[in-house]
Amino acid sequence: MAKKVAKVCKLQFEAGGARPGPALASAGINMPQFCTAFNDATKDRKGDIVPVIITAYEDKSFDFVLKTSPVPSLLKKAAKVSKGAGNPKTTVAGTITKTQLREIAEYKMPDLNANDVEAAMRIVEGTARNMGIKVEGE
């Protein structure tokens, strides 16, 4: 018989840096066990923010699914800036190349609602525009 789902939580942690705390307490799972499993699964992605979907069951067991890093953090890393522009219409926070844009789009393809890389590039480019990051080659 299938286990009964108690709760589904969507959280974000730094890769390899999950610690027990209030965010995990709300999920109702064994926090040290989750932290160990998450940190082991993400140790190769150090420095990235990793979204995770945790499915908690009534018997306190859990499953989790790792997602790709958020587009804004990937864009900031590629443009080598700490944050986006305060007013993206008038201020340029940084620039990235078309090649970097394509790499980010290819990395994000599993989590984006896009049929091909070009559509994914347009989605990522829109995010860059809203952050004040200019794409060279436009």
Side-chain angles (χ1 to χ4, degrees), residues 30-91:
N30 182 340
M31 290 186 278
Q33 183 181 356
F34 168 78
C35 291
T36 303
F38 177 85
N39 293 341
D40 288 344
T42 60
K43 64 183 168 210
D44 60 327
R45 294 168 65 176
K46 278 280 191 218
D48 290 348
I49 300 295
V50 181
V52 60
I53 299 175
I54 304 168
T55 306
Y57 300 103
E58 286 186 345
D59 64 353
K60 300 291 184 199
S61 63
F62 62 89
D63 291 327
F64 65 92
V65 178
L66 301 175
K67 298 291 185 178
T68 56
S69 298
V71 173
S73 67
L74 296 171
L75 287 168
K76 287 189 290 187
K77 187 186 277 186
K80 295 179 178 67
V81 295
S82 60
K83 63 180 187 173
N87 186 353
K89 291 182 181 177
T90 59
T91 310

Side-chain angles (χ1 to χ4, degrees), residues 112-135:
L112 289 178
N113 188 17
N115 293 328
D116 58 3
V117 176
E118 281 71 30
M121 285 174 67
R122 286 193 298 274
I123 293 170
V124 174
E125 190 175 353
T127 303
R129 193 177 315 116
N130 286 334
M131 292 177 66
I133 297 175
K134 187 174 188 279
V135 179

